[in-house]
Amino acid sequence: MAKGVGFTLGELARALHATLEGDPATVVTGVAPLESAGRDQISFLVDARYAGAAKASRAGALLAGPDVSGLPGPVLRVSAPQRALIDLLVLFHPSVEAVPGIASSAVVARDASVAPTATVGALAVIESGAVIGPRVQIGPLAFVGAGAQVGEASVVHARVALCARVTLGKRVVVHPGAVIGADGFGYVSDGQAHSKIPQVGSVLVEDDVEIGANTTIDRATLGQTIIRRGTKIDNLVQVGHNVEIGEHSIIVAQVGISGSCRIGRGVVLAGQVGVADHLTLGDGAVVAAQTGVHRDLAPGEKVLGTPARPLMESKRLFVLEGELPELVRRLRDAERRLARLEARLPAGEVPDA
């Protein structure tokens, strides 16, 4: 493949297992969105809804699925354009290999274990008994608490705090500012003051989980808070103590999950969802944005609104809500007409239906 100056479309077609409609010698030097791509860049159409924008694009080539015709210029046809887009971006933006070793300014406890192939950044702190596995990357200013474990090929970015006894599996990615294993929020009130319940549990994050920037996952009061394998958590999410999130779930920005909830496998919680404590959300449940969940959800159930209602019911209510001003006006007009009619009738007589 071409180095430094980009790739020919023929090279991209082979790498992406695509069918090329155009000159294989054409060179593109980068990937850009439809609206800003230039003649030396390739853009992408991952949804047929954006066909109009694609036809108006100045891109030198397009990556597209088989269901869109009439596109200008060369086209790389693939059966799964979203998957191919990932591969395309990796080609143009390959990850930089970390250099193994411990920065001179890092502070590593004498009895901590750091694999020879791991990387520990400047001013990072690794406390007593912590275990850093092979090919792990610990970013600058990150903190790994006593007895914490970070599994093979995981990446802990700058300023992440992994508190004591937290366990990360393999290939976990934790973005800057996240805090995993801080105390859960538990207090007992005697009417005069709030007494803290000791939070003595831990957090387990299984393989292939990604945790967004400034997300917080609290340690359990007793036992473990658990994030099962393959789950992806966005930025600014709060996961309370003793929560368990099932495999391959998606938790979007600003979600708050209260303590002791059980979130099933493949659940989707959209932005700003709030989940009350001790609830169970069944496998495959979908909760739309800004929904307040106050009850258990059945597997596959889709809800929207506060309080959460079945998705289509909430949508109908939203439509009716928009009609309320007109309905109120009509009701008041009817009340006035009725009052005028009653005023013309003898006492005790009612209008005909």
Side-chain angles (χ1 to χ4, degrees):
M1 287 195 172
K3 303 295 182 184
V5 296
F7 300 106
T8 69
L9 294 183
E11 290 171 332
L12 291 179
R14 288 190 293 274
L16 301 176
H17 306 289
T19 300
L20 174 61
E21 301 170 5
D23 183 0
T26 300
V27 175
V28 288
T29 61
V31 185
L34 291 169
E35 62 273 12
S36 61
R39 300 306 302 171
D40 61 343
Q41 294 172 309
I42 184 170
S43 193
F44 47 90
L45 177 61
V46 297
D47 192 312
R49 291 179 298 172
Y50 306 113
K55 292 174 182 178
S57 177
R58 296 178 59 250
L62 289 168
L63 175 72
D67 55 342
V68 182
S69 60
L71 296 176
V75 179
L76 289 167
R77 296 281 185 186
V78 292
S79 59
Q82 287 186 318
R83 177 67 251 183
L85 175 59
I86 294 173
D87 296 334
L88 181 68
L89 291 171
V90 169
L91 285 171
F92 278 96
H93 302 279
S95 58
V96 178
E97 291 294 325
V99 178
I102 301 173
S104 59
S105 59
V107 178
V108 180
R110 196 170 299 176
D111 63 342
S113 173
V114 180
T117 55
T119 302
V120 179
L123 300 174
V125 174
I126 300 176
E127 290 198 327
S128 176
V131 177
I132 308 300
R135 296 183 291 113
V136 165
Q137 298 177 45
I138 304 295
L141 294 167
F143 171 80
V144 181
Q149 300 181 43
V150 183
E152 181 179 352
S154 290
V155 179
V156 177
H157 283 285
R159 296 184 294 102
V160 167
L162 303 180
C163 299
R165 304 187 310 283
V166 165
T167 298
L168 302 187
K170 299 177 182 179
R171 299 174 300 278
V172 173
V173 177
V174 187
H175 288 280
V179 178
I180 303 177
D183 281 357
F185 192 71
Y187 297 87
V188 173
S189 177
D190 61 4
Q192 301 296 321
H194 304 295
S195 299
K196 184 179 179 68
I197 300 170
Q199 306 291 299
V200 297
S202 62
V203 177
L204 170 63
V205 179
E206 294 186 342
D207 299 347
D208 300 304
V209 169
E210 187 156 358
I211 297 168
N214 294 322
T215 281
T216 58
I217 301 174
D218 291 347
R219 71 174 55 255
T221 306
L222 294 166
Q224 291 181 314
T225 300
I226 302 174
I227 314 298
R228 297 293 184 191
R229 67 184 181 90
T231 282
K232 311 301 182 185
I233 301 178
D234 199 358
N235 303 333
L236 295 168
V237 169
Q238 158 65 14
V239 179
H241 59 84
N242 293 93
V243 167
E244 180 174 341
I245 299 178
E247 298 175 358
H248 302 293
S249 290
I250 294 289
I251 314 297
V252 185
Q254 297 184 351
V255 165
I257 304 174
S258 300
S260 300
C261 286
R262 295 291 176 267
I263 310 298
R265 188 183 195 277
V267 169
V268 176
L269 302 183
Q272 295 186 334
V273 163
V275 183
D277 60 284
H278 291 82
L279 296 182
T280 297
L281 278 56
D283 294 350
V286 176
V287 183
Q290 294 190 327
T291 292
V293 182
H294 64 289
R295 60 174 176 85
D296 292 346
L297 299 183
E301 187 172 2
K302 298 180 180 181
V303 295
L304 169 65
T306 301
R309 293 185 175 92
L311 182 65
M312 295 310 298
E313 179 183 328
S314 282
K315 287 184 175 181
R316 287 194 294 269
L317 287 173
F318 288 160
V319 171
L320 290 172
E321 189 176 86
E323 297 174 359
L324 280 176
E326 174 63 15
L327 290 173
V328 169
R329 185 191 66 78
R330 290 165 57 187
L331 177 61
R332 287 175 177 167
D333 285 347
E335 288 175 335
R336 284 192 289 268
R337 288 197 301 272
L338 179 60
R340 289 195 297 269
L341 181 58
E342 288 177 334
R344 292 197 295 268
L345 293 173
E349 188 173 338
V350 297
D352 294 333

